[in-house]
C-alpha cells in the first residue's frame, strides 16, 4: 500500500513560506551586477544650516535619488537586476547547449512558434527592466548638478549668498550615503517697488489695483512672488479691456548690490507696448482698453460641414443667425452669455460663456472669436459659433452582480436622451432597467434558476433655467447659472427581500454662485415605499429568526415549536412574539430573553413598515478641484434635510383620518417626519511624485420627531463596505458596541474618518496604506438596546478602527481596486480584546471596488 502523505499544518506552512521569502531577499544582492568601479547610492541626507532635514521638499530636486524602497527593500532595483542583459543570445545558447534540444523542439513547434518562444524571453526581460529601476549610481556630474539646483532653489527664496556642497560616506565597498549641506546665509528683501508703463490705459489699470500686488516692501525677494505678480498683471489687464495683452510685455528689473553687502533690493516693474512687425521693422503699438461693439451668435447645422445662415433674429443686444428657422428660444442662448455690447473685454467673461454653453449639454465645444473694427481698433465684434449635438441619443447598460440577497444578478438597462425638448435646451432622459437573479434562499414551488426579478423606470427632465415666479427668480437666482431638475421613478421587485414597490419624485434647483460653489435646493423630495411581502420577513432576516428560535427553545414544552424544534413561518413565529410581549409566557419583563424578543419585534416592525416620505433639502458644496488630474484640492459639503413637517400640517388642516396612535394619515400611512443634517470634508495633498495623502471626515444625524419615532430604513445610516470602514462588510459594523447581529445593521447617527496614503509601485499598478475609523449609533430612535445607543460622549470610544493595504490598477478611464483590511479595534469585543484580537490573515476582509473610495 502506498504510504500516506503527512498533512502540513497551516501555521508551519506560513512559517516555511516566510523563511523562504526572507532567505530569498537576503540572498538578493543589490550590487551583484555592478562593475568594480561603480558605487550605489543607498541613502541621501540633507543638512540645512547644520540641522538635518530628513523629509525636506528640496530633496525632490536631487539628481541622485536612491532606488525606491518598500519596507526598506529596494524592490524595483531587484526587479531590474532579474532582467537578462542579452536575452536573445542567452536563448540561442540554451537552445544549442544540448545537440538534440532544437531538433526535439521542432518536432512539435513550428518555426514561427520557436521564434515566438524566443520573443517571450525578450519580452520578459524588457518588462523587468521597464518595471524596475536601474541602479542609482554615484556620478560626479549628477552630484554637481544637484548642489547647483539646491543653491538655485535657495537663491529663488531670496538667499543669494547660499552655498551647497556634497560629501560621501562609504557604507560598503560599493554602497555609499550622500550628505548634502546647504548654508543659506543672509536673506535678501524687497526695497522700493516702482512701475513704468508705456501705455496710459495700462498705467491707469495698474494704479487702480496696486494694493493687490504680491510684491511688498520688506518681504523676502522670492522668484515665485515675481512669477505670481506677472500672472496677476496678465490676468488683470486681460480682464480689464486689454484684449491683445502679451505676457512678454512685462519685465522686472531688480537692482542688486554687486558686492552682496546691501540686502535690500529695489524693483522696477516695466510694462512695454505691444510690438508688431511691419516689413522689416518692429513698430510699437500702445495698449488700449477695448470694448465690445456687437455680439453675434451663429447656430450651425450639425449635419453639414458648411452652414449657410439664412435667417436672423435680434434679441436684446445680440443678433442670432441660423440656417432656417431658429430651433432655440433666443433667451435660452443669451441668458448665460457674459459678453455684452458696451462692456470692456474680459477673459473671465469669455471663460464664463464657454462654461455656460458646455453646461447646457446641447452643443459641442463652442468657438468664440473677437474681430477688431477697421475704423476703430478699440472696438471688438464678438462672434460665438454653436454647433448643436444630435437631438437623440441611445445608451445601454449591462451589469453582473452578486450580493447577500442574490447569488447572481444580471441587469440590462437602456436610456433615451432627447435634447431641446421645448426649444429651451431642455434635456429629457427616459430610462428603464430590469434585473433577473438567482437565489437559493427563495422558497417557491417552481424549480427555476432565475427566481428573482426587478423592474424599474425613470424619467428625468433638466431645464437650464429656474421654473419659478419672476419675482423669485430675480431675488434668488439673478446672475447665476441655475438649473431645474424634475424626475419621477418607479421600481417593482419580485422575490427580493420584502418585494418592495417604490415610487420617487424630485423637483430641485441647482446653481453656482462661483465656479467652486454649488448649491442645490430640493423643493420636493418624495418617496413612497410599499412592502408587499411582509410575511417573508424572517426568510430574509435569518439572524433575527435564529435568535427568536433560541429564545423559544429555552421554554420547556413550548407548544409553538414544531417537530424540527423551530417556529413555523410566518404565523407561529409572530404568535410566539405576541405571546412573550403580552407576558403570557414564563418570560417576565425583567428577563433578558424578554428584551431580546422585544428587540426582534421592534426591528421587524421597523423594517416591514411602509413609508411615505415628503420633504425638502438644501446642499452646499465647495470643491476647488480644477480637473480630474488635480491632486491638491479639498471638498466641503453640508446638507440639511427636513421631512414631513409641511405635509403633516396640511393633513391636520384637512382633517385627514387618524391611525391607532392618533397620527394623521395619507394612503393609510402616517408620513415620515424627521430632520437630517450631514457634514463631509475631503482633502488631498500631493506629497511627492504620484504620492497622495487623502483624508475624509463625515458625520450625519437624522432625528425623528412629531408623529415618528424612527427613521425610514432607506434614509438611515450604515457602516462598513468598500468605500467606508473596509475592515467590515457593508451593514455589518455596529450599531455601537453591538456585534452586528442583524443582516442589515443601521442607525440614525454616523461618524466616519479615513486616511489613505497612495503611492506608485510598477507602471499602472499603485499601492495604498489606509486607516478607517467610524461607527453608527441610535439617538432618540425606537431602539432600546443600550449597546446600540449613543448614551453619552463616552460611547464615542466605540469608534471601530480598521487598517490595511491595497492594490490598484489604473486603466486610465477607471481604477480597479483591491483592498485588504483588518479589524484593529473592534468595539463589539469585550474591552480587554478590542485591540488587535481580530488582526489575523484568516480574518482579513477583502474588498473589491471601482475607482478610489474618496
Amino acid at each position: 500500500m502506498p504510504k500516506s502523505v503527512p498533512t502540513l499544518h497551516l501555521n508551519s506552512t506560513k512559517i516555511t513560506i516566510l523563511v523562504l521569502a526572507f532567505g530569498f531577499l537576503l540572498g538578493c544582492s543589490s550590487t551583484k551586477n555592478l562593475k568594480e568601479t561603480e558605487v550605489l547610492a543607498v541613502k541621501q541626507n540633507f543638512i540645512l544650516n547644520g540641522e538635518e532635514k530628513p523629509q525636506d521638499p528640496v530633496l525632490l530636486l536631487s539628481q541622485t535619488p536612491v532606488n525606491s524602497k518598500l519596507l526598506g527593500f529596494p524592490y524595483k532595483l531587484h526587479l531590474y537586476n532579474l532582467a537578462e542583459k542579452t536575452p536573445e543570445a542567452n536563448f540561442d545558447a540554451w537552445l544549442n547547449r544540448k545537440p538534440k534540444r532544437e531538433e526535439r523542439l521542432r518536432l512539435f513547434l513550428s518555426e514561427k512558434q520557436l521564434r515566438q518562444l524566443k520573443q517571450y524571453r525578450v519580452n520578459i526581460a524588457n518588462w523587468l527592466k521597464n518595471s524596475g529601476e536601474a541602479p542609482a549610481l554615484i556620478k560626479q556630474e549628477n552630484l554637481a548638478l544637484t548642489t547647483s539646483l539646491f543653491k538655485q532653489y535657495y537663491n529663488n527664496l531670496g538667499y543669494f549668498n547660499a552655498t551647497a556642497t556634497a560629501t560621501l560616506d562609504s557604507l560598503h565597498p560599493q554602497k555609499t550615503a550622500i550628505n548634502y549641506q546647504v548654508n543659506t546665509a543672509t536673506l535678501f528683501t524687497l526695497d522700493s517697488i516702482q512701475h513704468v508703463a508705456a501705455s496710459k490705459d495700462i498705467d491707469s489699470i495698474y494704479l487702480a489695483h496696486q494694493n493687490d500686488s504680491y510684491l511688498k516692501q520688506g518681504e523676502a525677494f522670492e522668484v515665485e512672488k515675481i512669477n505670481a505678480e506677472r500672472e496677476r498683471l496678465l490676468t488683470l489687464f486681460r480682464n480689464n479691456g486689454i484684449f491683445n495683452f502679451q505676457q512678454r510685455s512685462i519685465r522686472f528689473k531688480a537692482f542688486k548690490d554687486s558686492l552682496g553687502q546691501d540686502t535690500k533690493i529695489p524693483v522696477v516693474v516695466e510694462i512695454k507696448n505691444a510690438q508688431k512687425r511691419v516689413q522689416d521693422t518692429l513698430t510699437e503699438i500702445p495698449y488700449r482698453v477695448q470694448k465690445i461693439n456687437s455680439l453675434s451668435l451663429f447656430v450651425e447645422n450639425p449635419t453639414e460641414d458648411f452652414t449657410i445662415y439664412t435667417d436672423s433674429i435680434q434679441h436684446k443686444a445680440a443678433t442670432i443667425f441660423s440656417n432656417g428657422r431658429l430651433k432655440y428660444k433666443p433667451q435660452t442662448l443669451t441668458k448665460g452669455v457674459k459678453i455684452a455690447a458696451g462692456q470692456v473685454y474680459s477673459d473671465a467673461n469669455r471663460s464664463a460663456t464657454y462654461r455656460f454653453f458646455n453646461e447646457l449639454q446641447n452643443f459641442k465645444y463652442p468657438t468664440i472669436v473677437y474681430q477688431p473694427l477697421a475704423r476703430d481698433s478699440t472696438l471688438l465684434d464678438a462672434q460665438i459659433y454653436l454647433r448643436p449635438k444630435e437631438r437623440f441619443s441611445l445608451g445601454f447598460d449591462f451589469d453582473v452582480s452578486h450580493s447577500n440577497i442574490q447569488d447572481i444578478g444580471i441587469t440590462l438597462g437602456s436610456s433615451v436622451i432627447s435634447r431641446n425638448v421645448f426649444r429651451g435646451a431642455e434635456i429629457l432622459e427616459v430610462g428603464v432597467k430590469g434585473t433577473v437573479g438567482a437565489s437559493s434562499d427563495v422558497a417557491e414551488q417552481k424549480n427555476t434558476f432565475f427566481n428573482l426579478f426587478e423592474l424599474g423606470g425613470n424619467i428625468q427632465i433638466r431645464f437650464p433655467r429656474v421654473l419659478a415666479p419672476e419675482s423669485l427668480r430675480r431675488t434668488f437666482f439673478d446672475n447665476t447659472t441655475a438649473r431645474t431638475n424634475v424626475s419621477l421613478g418607479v421600481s417593482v421587485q419580485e422575490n427580493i427581500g420584502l418585494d418592495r414597490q417604490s415610487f420617487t419624485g424630485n423637483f430641485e434647483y441647482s446653481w453656482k454662485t462661483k465656479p467652486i460653489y454649488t448649491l442645490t435646493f430640493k423643493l420636493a423630495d418624495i418617496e413612497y415605499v410599499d412592502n408587499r411581502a411582509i410575511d417573508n420577513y424572517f426568510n430574509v432576516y435569518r439572524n433575527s429568526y435564529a435568535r427568536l428560535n433560541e429564545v423559544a427553545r429555552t421554554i420547556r414544552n413550548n407548544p409553538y415549536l414544531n417537530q424540527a424544534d423551530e417556529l413555523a413561518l410566518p404565523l407561529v413565529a409572530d404568535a410566539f412574539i405576541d405571546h412573550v410581549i403580552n407576558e403570557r409566557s414564563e418570560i417576565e419583563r425583567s428577563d433578558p430573553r424578554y428584551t431580546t424578543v422585544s428587540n426582534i419585534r421592534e426591528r421587524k416592525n421597523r423594517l416591514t413598515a411602509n413609508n411615505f416620505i415628503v420633504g425638502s433639502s438644501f446642499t452646499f458644496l465647495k470643491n476647488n478641484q480644477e480637473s480630474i488630474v488635480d491632486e491638491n484640492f479639498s471638498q466641503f459639503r453640508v446638507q440639511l434635510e427636513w421631512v414631513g413637517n409641511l405635509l403633516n400640517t396640511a393633513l391636520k388642516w384637512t382633517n385627514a383620518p387618524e391611525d391607532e396612535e392618533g397620527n394623521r394619515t395619507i394612503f393609510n400611512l402616517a408620513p415620515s417626519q424627521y430632520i437630517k443634517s450631514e457634514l463631509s470634508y475631503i482633502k488631498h495633498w500631493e506629497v511627492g511624485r504620484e504620492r497622495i495623502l487623502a483624508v475624509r471626515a463625515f458625520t450625519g444625524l437624522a432625528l425623528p420627531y412629531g408623529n415618528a419615532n424612527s427613521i425610514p430604513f432607506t434614509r438611515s445610516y450604515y457602516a462598513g463596505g468598500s468605500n467606508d470602514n473596509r475592515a467590515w462588510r457593508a451593514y455589518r459594523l455596529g450599531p455601537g458596541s453591538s456585534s452586528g447581529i442583524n443582516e442589515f445593521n443601521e442607525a440614525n447617527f454616523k461618524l466616519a474618518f479615513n486616511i489613505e496614503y497612495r503611492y506608485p509601485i510598477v507602471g499602472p499598478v499603485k499601492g495604498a496604506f489606509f486607516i478607517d475609523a467610524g461607527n453608527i449609533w441610535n439617538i432618540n430612535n425606537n431602539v432600546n438596546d443600550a449597546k446600540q445607543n449613543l448614551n453619552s460622549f463616552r460611547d464615542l470610544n466605540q469608534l471601530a478602527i480598521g487598517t490595511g493595504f491595497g492594490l490598484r490598477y489604473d486603466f486610465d478611464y477607471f481604477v480597479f481596486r483591491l483592498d485588504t483590511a483588518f479589524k484593529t479595534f473592534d468595539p463589539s469585543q469585550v474591552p480587554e480584546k478590542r485591540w488587535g484580537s481580530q488582526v489575523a490573515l484568516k480574518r482579513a476582509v477583502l474588498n473589491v471596488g471601482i475607482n478610489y473610495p474618496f
Side-chain angles (χ1 to χ4, degrees), residues 727-759:
W728 282 262
R729 299 292 185 193
Y731 290 98
R732 304 302 297 174
L733 172 58
S737 61
S738 65
S739 56
I741 55 179
N742 299 306
E743 285 84 356
F744 299 95
N745 297 280
E746 41 80 38
N748 66 324
F749 176 59
K750 179 175 182 177
L751 285 174
F753 307 94
N754 311 82
I755 182 169
E756 183 169 285
Y757 175 66
R758 302 165 186 167
Y759 57 91

Side-chain angles (χ1 to χ4, degrees), residues 3-56:
K3 294 182 179 179
S4 61
V5 179
T7 302
L8 187 63
H9 194 272
L10 181 60
N11 289 339
S12 63
T13 303
K14 291 180 181 178
I15 293 172
T16 302
I17 293 174
L18 290 174
V19 170
L20 291 175
F22 187 65
F24 172 76
L25 294 180
L26 289 178
C28 291
S29 173
S30 56
T31 60
K32 67 177 183 178
N33 292 336
L34 299 184
K35 299 177 183 178
E36 291 184 1
T37 57
E38 293 178 331
V39 179
L40 187 69
V42 296
K43 187 178 181 182
Q44 56 179 352
N45 303 313
F46 179 70
I47 303 167
L48 178 65
N49 294 329
E51 182 181 355
E52 187 171 351
K53 303 284 186 179
Q55 302 295 330
D56 198 288

Side-chain angles (χ1 to χ4, degrees), residues 11-217:
N11 289 339
S12 63
T13 303
K14 291 180 181 178
I15 293 172
T16 302
I17 293 174
L18 290 174
V19 170
L20 291 175
F22 187 65
F24 172 76
L25 294 180
L26 289 178
C28 291
S29 173
S30 56
T31 60
K32 67 177 183 178
N33 292 336
L34 299 184
K35 299 177 183 178
E36 291 184 1
T37 57
E38 293 178 331
V39 179
L40 187 69
V42 296
K43 187 178 181 182
Q44 56 179 352
N45 303 313
F46 179 70
I47 303 167
L48 178 65
N49 294 329
E51 182 181 355
E52 187 171 351
K53 303 284 186 179
Q55 302 295 330
D56 198 288
V58 74
L59 285 171
L60 295 174
L61 298 175
S62 173
Q63 300 303 300
T64 59
V66 299
N67 291 109
S68 303
K69 295 180 180 179
L70 181 63
L71 301 177
F73 179 69
Y75 65 100
K76 286 192 175 183
L77 172 60
H78 286 287
L79 276 178
Y80 185 90
N81 286 338
L82 288 174
E84 296 179 279
K85 294 183 178 180
T86 57
E88 292 187 7
N90 292 348
F91 180 84
D92 292 338
W94 170 81
L95 192 63
N96 299 320
R97 190 170 298 147
K98 293 184 178 180
K100 295 185 179 182
R101 176 175 286 170
E102 183 175 358
E103 182 180 342
R104 287 196 299 268
L105 286 175
R106 292 186 181 276
L107 291 177
F108 58 89
L109 293 179
S110 66
E111 182 67 28
K112 181 179 179 181
Q113 290 173 326
L114 194 60
R115 288 198 306 269
Q116 189 62 46
L117 188 62
K118 182 178 182 179
Q119 187 60 42
Y120 286 152
R121 188 159 181 171
V122 174
N123 291 343
I124 290 173
N126 291 336
W127 181 85
L128 289 170
K129 287 182 179 179
N130 294 333
S131 301
E133 287 179 350
L137 301 177
I138 294 293
K139 296 182 180 179
Q140 289 300 323
E141 59 268 27
N142 289 344
L143 291 172
L145 178 58
T146 300
T147 56
S148 175
L149 290 173
F150 287 177
K151 185 176 183 297
Q152 185 61 48
Y153 174 82
Y154 284 98
N155 282 175
N156 292 342
L157 293 179
Y159 297 98
F160 294 115
N161 294 331
T163 59
T165 58
T167 58
L168 302 178
D169 281 346
S170 179
L171 306 176
H172 177 273
Q174 287 189 287
K175 292 182 180 180
T176 189
I178 310 172
N179 298 317
Y180 289 109
Q181 299 190 35
V182 173
N183 188 349
T184 58
T186 309
L187 177 66
F188 284 70
T189 59
L190 291 165
D191 195 8
S192 61
I193 296 101
Q194 299 177 346
H195 81 281
V196 177
S199 162
K200 292 182 179 180
D201 288 355
I202 290 288
D203 186 68
S204 177
I205 297 171
Y206 181 93
L207 290 174
H209 299 84
Q210 192 171 12
N211 291 337
D212 299 328
S213 175
Y214 287 100
L215 306 181
K216 306 291 184 182
Q217 188 173 8

Side-chain angles (χ1 to χ4, degrees), residues 217-268:
Q217 188 173 8
E219 292 186 354
F221 187 100
E222 297 181 14
V223 172
E224 191 59 38
K225 290 182 179 179
I226 299 292
N227 294 332
E229 179 67 4
R230 180 181 285 107
E231 289 296 325
R232 183 189 76 87
L233 293 176
L234 176 65
T235 302
L236 174 67
F237 298 141
R238 291 186 64 87
N239 281 335
N240 285 273
I242 312 300
F243 166 66
N244 60 338
F245 187 82
Q246 302 296 320
Q247 189 181 63
R248 61 174 176 267
S249 296
I250 304 173
R251 293 184 61 188
F252 293 89
K253 293 184 177 180
F255 301 92
K256 179 186 172 186
D257 180 12
S258 59
L259 298 178
Q261 296 178 354
D262 188 353
T263 59
K264 295 183 178 180
I265 303 177
V267 174
V268 175

